[in-house]
Amino acid sequence: MTHLPIVSTRHLMPLAVAGALALAASPAAAQQKTVKIGFISTFSGPTAVIGNDMRNSFELALDHLGRKMGGLPVEVIYEDDQQKPEAGKQKTDKLIESDKVDFIVGYIWSNVLLASLKSAVDSKTFLITSNAGPSQLAGELCSPYVFSTSWQNDQTPQVMGLYMNQKGVKTAFLIGPNYAAGKDMLAGVASTFKGQVVGQELTKWPDQLDFSAELSKARAARPDAIFVFYPGAAGVQFLTQYGQAGLKGQIPLYTAFTIDETTLPRQKDLALGVPGAQEWVNDLPNEENKRFVADYIKKHSGARPSFYGAQTYDAANLVNSAVVAVKGDTSKKDEMRAEMEKANFKSVRGNFKYGKNHMPIQNFYLQDVVKDADGNFVLKTVATIVENDQDRFHDKCPMK
Amino acid sequence: MIYFIEQCLNGVQLGMLLFLLAAGLTLIFGIMDLVNLAHGSLYMLGAYFAATLVAWTDSFLLGVPLALLATLVVGMAVEVVAMRRLYGRDHLDHVLGTFGLILFFNELVRLIWGPAGMTLFLPSWLNAAVPVLPGLYYPLYRVVIIVVTILVALFLYGLVMRTRLGMLIRAGASNREMVGALGINIKLLYTFVFGLGAALAGFAGLMQAPILTVQIGMGENILIVAFVVIVIGGIGSIRGAFVASLFVGMVDTIGRAFFPDLLRLVLSKEAAATAAPALSSMMIYLLMAAVLVLRPEGLFPAANR
Amino acid sequence: MTPMVNARNLVVAALLAFLLLLPVYTGVTGNPFLLTLFTRIVILALAATSLNLILGYGGMVSFGHAAYLGIGGYAIGILASEGITSGFVQWPVALIVSALVALIIGLFCLRTRGVYFIMITLAFAQMVYYVAAGLARYGGDDGLTIYRRSQFDGLNLSNKPTFYYLCLALLLGTIFLVWRLVNSRFGLVIQGARSNERRMQSIGFPTFRYRLTCFVIAGTLCGLAGALLANHTDFVSPAMMYWTRSGDLIVMVVLGGMSSTFGPLIGAVALLVLEEALSGLTEYWQIILGPLLLLVVLFARGGIDGLLEAASLRPRLGGGADAKVRRG
């Protein structure tokens, strides 16, 4: 959308010139007195709830670190990608060129990440993705400057595919959004699912929130199960319409990233009994996680963090480990990289290692939705499905 | 077969929602000769008002009429403050001026309600599926949409065809100078028509809200489709808007549902799956282009202007 | 007669001087961001100038002009992703495809007038948008990253100042071209057709052919802007062509001053500089912007250029009449 002048047009020209000169003057050569981190996520529209969860978790991590890394104060600049690749890329460029950040963290959406990747890599700015994990990033587009604290998109649905095999599902109908991650997700399920995929529908993303046509098609195909991937508010919409279509008792649902702590409050009993897989779950027993979840609940009046937040909390600690290793001298990029490759920090998901493509090698757990003693809807871990799972694209990565 | 009927119902439901939007737009365009890009903003306001008022009053049946009233009031206020000065001007002026209003309303909504959007929850008695045919369960809420909008269409028909006010509206669409010359208070008529259009748009917005989300900028996408509908139907004609909305709704839905299968016969499976949503979106524009070339006044032109 | 040294000419001259010297300034102060910003401004000014040809002078309100930005951009993007990075191949392809598409769209649209013209240009632009969104091989909705800019022997487009001067040169060339066109017989026919088509036809001019030619030239120039934009951002996506982008271009032209030589440039600079400068100050400033646009439409119809011109004219006999004739 366009942004237009605020002042009367008569004064426009002098003001414009003054404005330009002011712009020139302001981002003067910044002295290296702070660690500057740029944060790109979605803060507007229906998926803002995810961005806020990530921001809250990042802020909590900084609080736990005393708001310093390697002795230097931390400055974070939050930017909104509006869920659009173009906007995300523009903001990334701004963070790199105008704000001159040392690290960029965030990226919910794979398409936004892919659009912004070149700018970060070309400028040799470290980029930590705390959610998006497109297959290209794990493969041919891997870069020494990019690290992930989440997963590769295919991994979680692959895990669901294995689970569906365990449950004896013979035929499945797959539904997801038509963008990089959506395609990865459906491909991931198909790669491990041994039964027959009787239908697959990719919907227009992010505009299409009316799934009546796709649900009708799924019903007509009579599968044993439906697999679905719809993050954020779309997940709420899908489950609502799934219920409205009368499918709840008829065809079981298997999900990835569709039910989480951000969407569960609205999905409520529609989500009961619907399984999903994750690399981080709220009830993991390690110390770091207990502290993260407890402090988050305390700071945000009862709201629970989601996996988006957990991954972002880890990202803060990953960056910290690097800055500490070089004692605050962020120009020592090779040393920082070496430190990050060790994954030498306490992750809330438990310790994990990095593959050569800077993607985590980690466990995946199965979760179910249950009602707790107070009548709230919560996610509960049911089993560990795989241990030390590595993405299937690492061979395509040219890094050593 | 069941599937086809279900898709037809979906198409009708979409068409009826489009009709609510298009009816207001065509009235405003036909009578005041005003190109109103901000119609989508009124659609958005209806949804936001409904989400808020239903939550406040904790009652769907109370919140909805209140939201309609609120949108009607806002619509009339906008007409008096802004639109009046645009009458008689070039269409480009309308486009620019109402484009500015889009920006204003988007930002205003962001200021008042925040950037994250809202949800409108249906009461549980509406959240079920009904057996429309043996073996075909259809969401009750969508049936309600179809029924309610048909009632609105009948109401509009009655208003325009059978009342004195409607006669003035039709006369104004044909020849506004004459109507003014006959001593009718044109200003009041215009304010009323604009308000009616706003209420219809708001109604469409709030009816859509439980199915889609309520968010800033939600009007921009559907506004274009509404314009396509009124061009196909004929500017100024409510009957044309009705027929064209159904037509467009059906083409869009059936296209989305069956076009991929058609494409799959010709292209690879993946190419078809990704190309189909885009191509079926194009269909309605091709339709409009065809109508403009073959019958530029639309299917049911309103008047001899 | 307005004196040569007047407010409007001074402003334009100052702006041009600023644009010419900018890379020197940013080189000295070490602030590449400003250069990036103004490269974008110059490119969009080129697009706005091409729109002014049909909108300001020709009276053709095309709500689909951003489609050509996309066509030019995607020509570069698609060829680059297929390994063809030579600018000598890419740019002519961008221009030719833009011209062809403009020809086809023009053949359909120019048969209509008024709001129907607005709607149908918008419809065609949306169709181009959906075609791009459907190109799964080239990113579809997610867009396409361009890994290597257009290669020209002896000209390194990855060098910021070089690229900036290239864009500036092309902008000035376009402004000059449009100025010559408008002041030629061709331009007079176009402007005459805008005022009263029937009269022009009765004099014997085949106005449809003239308007179509004008439409194609405008589309081609905008395609050039698209090729530049693709090189500038190293990225193309269907969003470049969404109808609200066409709206942005129209706003630039009207704000700057329709049917004036430097109006589109002034409009682009005003719009984009203030967008940058003010979005840093307050979050909700757009709330004033919207109504301001409405006010400009109602009271300052000639745009900035019109206001500057009014300021240039001394209050004397004939001055007012001059202004009205000039604004057309």
Side-chain angles (χ1 to χ4, degrees):
Chain A
M1 254 321 203
T2 189
H3 298 173
L4 294 166
I6 197 175
V7 295
S8 110
T9 46
R10 197 173 320 142
H11 302 301
L12 212 55
M13 260 336 285
L15 192 70
V17 177
L21 289 174
L23 271 175
S26 40
Q31 300 308 309
Q32 194 51 44
K33 296 261 181 57
T34 64
V35 177
K36 265 191 168 180
I37 304 179
F39 195 98
I40 297 232
S41 191
T42 307
F43 297 111
S44 57
T47 47
V49 61
I50 300 178
N52 288 329
D53 189 84
M54 288 167 84
R55 176 167 44 192
N56 291 342
S57 303
F58 199 71
E59 287 288 314
L60 185 61
L62 292 179
D63 287 344
H64 283 168
L65 289 170
R67 303 211 80 92
K68 281 192 175 185
M69 289 185 183
L72 295 175
V74 178
E75 187 190 333
V76 189
I77 303 168
Y78 293 97
E79 291 290 354
D80 182 6
D81 63 13
Q82 299 165 32
Q83 213 174 331
K84 297 187 185 128
E86 250 219 359
K89 181 190 191 301
Q90 270 181 27
K91 293 287 163 66
T92 305
D93 288 342
K94 172 200 169 272
L95 287 170
I96 296 173
E97 285 200 337
S98 177
D99 299 308
K100 297 197 176 35
V101 295
D102 303 305
F103 295 89
I104 306 183
V105 176
Y107 296 100
I108 305 175
W109 315 106
S110 296
N111 51 356
V112 176
L113 175 62
L114 284 171
S116 317
L117 196 56
K118 182 169 190 281
S119 308
V121 170
D122 282 356
S123 62
K124 298 192 168 52
T125 310
F126 281 110
L127 192 157
I128 320 287
T129 162
S130 61
N131 195 62
S135 48
Q136 302 93 320
L137 190 65
E140 62 273 18
L141 289 180
C142 67
S143 159
Y145 292 96
V146 180
F147 284 81
S148 162
T149 54
S150 56
W151 22 252
Q152 194 275 315
N153 290 342
D154 291 42
Q155 283 183 291
T156 316
Q158 275 173 241
V159 165
M160 279 316 287
L162 291 174
Y163 183 61
M164 283 157 78
N165 292 341
Q166 282 179 25
K167 292 295 260 186
V169 175
K170 294 281 181 289
T171 55
F173 195 98
L174 315 178
I175 310 182
N178 189 11
Y179 78 113
K183 296 180 212 173
D184 283 348
M185 296 286 162
L186 300 195
V189 172
S191 72
T192 53
F193 178 59
K194 292 210 174 58
Q196 191 201 357
V197 174
V198 293
Q200 182 174 295
E201 289 296 316
L202 287 165
T203 59
K204 190 145 186 3
W205 177 260
D207 304 343
Q208 188 187 329
L209 290 172
D210 179 356
F211 305 110
S212 52
E214 287 72 24
L215 284 167
S216 300
K217 274 203 155 146
R219 194 214 304 270
R222 297 177 181 288
D224 287 340
I226 299 179
F227 171 84
V228 70
F229 161 65
Y230 277 112
V236 179
Q237 290 305 126
F238 185 85
L239 236 51
T240 311
Q241 289 168 27
Y242 168 76
Q244 280 177 349
L247 284 167
K248 177 104 176 107
Q250 292 180 16
I251 308 180
L253 205 55
Y254 292 82
T255 69
F257 305 116
T258 307
I259 301 175
D260 57 64
E261 283 84 349
T262 63
T263 58
L264 197 50
R266 297 195 295 182
Q267 288 162 333
K268 300 196 222 192
D269 41 352
L270 287 167
L272 270 177
V274 179
Q278 274 322 341
E279 93 290 13
W280 171 86
V281 288
N282 48 327
D283 46 9
L284 276 174
N286 66 70
E287 281 309 312
E288 200 62 26
N289 189 38
K290 287 189 192 159
R291 183 179 170 221
F292 164 59
V293 175
D295 284 356
Y296 189 99
I297 294 178
K298 215 189 308 175
K299 191 175 178 193
H300 296 283
S301 6
R304 308 185 69 92
S306 69
F307 64 89
Y308 299 102
Q311 288 154 191
T312 312
Y313 186 87
D314 274 354
N317 286 312
L318 177 67
V319 170
N320 180 54
S321 72
V323 178
V324 164
V326 296
K327 298 198 183 28
D329 184 358
T330 53
S331 64
K332 292 193 178 143
K333 302 211 173 177
D334 291 334
E335 283 96 335
M336 289 204 285
R337 179 182 316 114
E339 184 65 22
M340 289 199 278
E341 283 175 348
K342 295 186 209 157
N344 188 13
F345 67 96
K346 290 204 176 56
S347 162
V348 291
R349 79 196 76 180
N351 290 334
F352 67 89
K353 286 198 187 25
Y354 273 121
K356 63 171 180 170
N357 54 4
H358 296 171
M359 294 254 133
I361 301 175
Q362 58 197 341
N363 301 350
F364 281 84
Y365 308 94
L366 184 75
Q367 285 207 299
D368 225 346
V369 178
V370 298
K371 250 184 171 164
D372 72 3
D374 305 316
N376 298 324
F377 294 96
V378 290
L379 286 158
K380 186 162 138 45
T381 306
V382 172
T384 308
I385 307 206
V386 282
E387 289 190 355
N388 297 323
D389 186 71
Q390 186 178 26
D391 67 88
R392 61 195 175 114
F393 298 98
H394 62 275
D395 291 326
K396 292 198 188 156
C397 171
M399 296 203 299
K400 299 259 180 307
Chain B
M1 191 55 199
I2 294 277
Y3 177 58
F4 181 70
I5 297 180
E6 193 172 352
Q7 294 298 16
C8 285
L9 280 174
N10 288 342
V12 169
Q13 180 245 302
L14 176 61
M16 296 316 294
L17 273 164
L18 275 175
F19 169 67
L20 285 176
L21 214 51
L25 206 55
T26 204
L27 269 182
I28 293 173
F29 202 153
I31 296 179
M32 288 105 86
D33 196 25
L34 179 71
V35 180
N36 181 23
L37 289 184
H39 207 65
S41 304
L42 295 161
Y43 167 85
M44 172 179 71
L45 279 175
Y48 267 95
F49 282 141
T52 311
L53 288 167
V54 166
W56 275 1
T57 60
D58 215 13
S59 154
F60 193 74
L61 289 176
L62 194 56
V64 165
L66 282 177
L68 271 180
L69 195 61
T71 319
L72 176 72
V73 167
V74 169
M76 294 204 287
V78 167
E79 196 273 343
V80 171
V81 170
M83 297 305 178
R84 280 208 179 155
R85 303 168 212 289
L86 288 174
Y87 296 143
R89 284 180 166 251
D90 202 43
H91 284 155
L92 177 61
D93 288 2
H94 297 171
V95 160
L96 290 171
T98 52
F99 195 65
L101 282 179
I102 293 180
L103 301 180
F104 171 72
F105 278 118
N106 278 344
E107 216 48 35
L108 185 69
V109 165
R110 200 162 82 92
L111 187 67
I112 299 179
W113 279 281
M118 296 188 81
T119 337
L120 178 55
F121 294 111
L122 281 178
S124 41
W125 53 270
L126 269 179
N127 221 348
V130 284
V132 173
L133 282 181
L136 173 59
Y137 278 78
Y138 198 63
L140 173 61
Y141 183 62
R142 289 172 192 261
V143 174
V144 167
I145 291 181
I146 295 177
V147 169
V148 168
T149 38
I150 290 184
L151 289 173
V152 169
L154 287 173
F155 162 75
L156 271 178
Y157 181 76
L159 180 74
V160 169
M161 289 303 182
R162 301 252 183 266
T163 64
R164 192 176 127 80
L165 178 60
M167 185 183 67
L168 288 173
I169 291 177
R170 273 181 290 136
S174 290
N175 193 329
R176 82 174 63 86
E177 283 91 13
M178 192 53 102
V179 175
L182 288 173
I184 310 291
N185 187 344
I186 274 286
K187 276 196 182 159
L188 204 57
L189 181 67
Y190 282 8
T191 307
F192 173 76
V193 170
F194 196 86
L196 178 65
L200 286 170
F203 196 43
L206 68 90
M207 295 236 84
Q208 280 275 50
I211 306 181
L212 311 181
T213 49
V214 179
Q215 66 186 91
I216 300 172
M218 63 191 270
E220 267 91 277
N221 293 332
I222 200 153
L223 180 72
I224 304 298
V225 185
F227 268 106
V228 167
V229 165
I230 66 172
V231 167
I232 293 177
I235 295 186
S237 159
I238 299 207
R239 189 171 20 145
F242 188 79
V243 172
S245 317
L246 273 176
F247 198 19
V248 168
M250 292 291 280
V251 166
D252 194 53
T253 309
I254 302 287
R256 258 199 294 141
F258 294 106
F259 200 51
D261 297 321
L262 256 158
L263 277 188
R264 242 166 254 167
L265 297 174
V266 194
L267 300 172
S268 79
K269 196 166 168 200
E270 227 205 53
T274 52
L279 285 175
S280 28
S281 314
M282 268 175 66
M283 259 190 249
I284 56 173
Y285 296 105
L286 287 168
L287 244 161
M288 178 173 91
V291 166
L292 277 176
V293 167
L294 297 171
R295 202 176 144 86
E297 332 81 57
L299 296 176
F300 295 92
N304 44 329
R305 301 170 48 191
Chain C
M1 250 313 257
T2 62
M4 267 285 280
V5 181
N6 60 46
R8 201 237 272 137
N9 289 354
L10 273 174
V11 167
V12 170
L15 180 60
L16 288 176
F18 175 78
L19 288 174
L20 276 166
L21 294 173
L22 185 67
V24 176
Y25 177 74
T26 60
V28 164
T29 58
N31 184 0
F33 180 64
L34 201 59
L35 192 55
T36 307
L37 173 66
F38 271 89
T39 311
R40 183 182 167 81
I41 289 178
V42 165
I43 295 173
L44 289 176
L46 210 167
T49 306
S50 73
L51 178 60
N52 193 22
L53 181 61
I54 50 172
L55 172 61
Y57 295 106
M60 300 176 245
V61 184
S62 166
F63 223 113
H65 211 60
Y68 305 105
L69 275 178
I71 292 172
Y74 265 90
I76 306 296
I78 293 177
L79 287 173
S81 83
E82 295 296 341
I84 303 172
T85 52
S86 164
F88 294 113
V89 175
Q90 289 178 336
W91 288 34
V93 168
L95 293 174
I96 293 173
V97 176
S98 304
L100 281 173
V101 174
L103 182 64
I104 298 173
I105 294 183
L107 276 170
F108 278 100
C109 298
L110 287 168
R111 296 189 194 283
T112 62
R113 289 293 240 166
V115 69
Y116 295 105
F117 181 77
I118 301 179
M119 290 309 305
I120 200 170
T121 51
L122 196 152
F124 272 99
Q126 286 294 89
M127 284 197 260
V128 175
Y129 168 82
Y130 283 118
V131 167
L135 291 173
R137 187 183 160 80
Y138 301 113
D141 257 329
D142 296 344
L144 185 62
T145 303
I146 297 175
Y147 288 97
R148 278 187 94 198
R149 293 196 179 177
S150 306
Q151 304 291 305
F152 288 101
D153 299 327
L155 210 60
N156 180 15
L157 293 186
S158 300
N159 176 285
K160 279 191 201 280
T162 310
F163 185 61
Y164 172 80
Y165 276 123
L166 176 65
C167 294
L168 188 60
L170 288 170
L171 168 67
L172 293 173
T174 304
I175 293 180
F176 179 70
L177 175 68
V178 168
W179 178 70
R180 285 300 303 255
L181 264 175
V182 161
N183 288 309
S184 69
R185 196 176 133 225
F186 175 83
L188 290 174
V189 174
I190 296 292
Q191 291 180 81
R194 183 191 72 203
S195 297
N196 193 326
E197 188 165 11
R198 214 165 283 176
R199 191 191 301 167
M200 294 307 291
Q201 283 171 340
S202 62
I203 300 178
F205 287 107
T207 54
F208 181 79
R209 237 179 282 164
Y210 275 81
R211 292 168 76 226
L212 182 61
T213 313
C214 194
F215 195 78
V216 170
I217 295 176
T220 313
L221 288 171
C222 197
L224 176 63
L228 289 173
L229 195 58
N231 272 290
H232 176 61
T233 55
D234 301 313
F235 180 72
V236 287
S237 85
M240 282 163 90
M241 306 187 250
Y242 199 58
W243 70 272
T244 45
R245 286 304 178 86
S246 296
D248 291 352
L249 286 176
I250 296 181
V251 169
M252 270 181 228
V253 172
V254 173
L255 199 66
M258 296 206 309
S259 62
S260 78
T261 316
F262 288 99
L265 171 58
I266 296 176
V269 171
L271 216 59
L272 294 171
V273 165
L274 282 156
E275 170 178 334
E276 275 303 317
L278 290 171
S279 59
L281 288 179
T282 160
E283 254 196 284
Y284 300 109
W285 53 279
Q286 269 196 84
I287 218 173
I288 307 188
L289 248 27
L292 186 81
L293 182 57
L294 183 57
L295 289 174
V296 166
V297 165
L298 293 176
F299 302 117
R301 201 53 178 69
I304 297 173
D305 184 87
L307 289 175
L308 285 174
E309 194 176 324
S312 313
L313 294 168
R314 308 279 152 122
R316 63 172 111 120
L317 292 173
D322 262 349
K324 286 201 176 60
V325 164
R326 179 66 182 76
R327 215 164 296 172

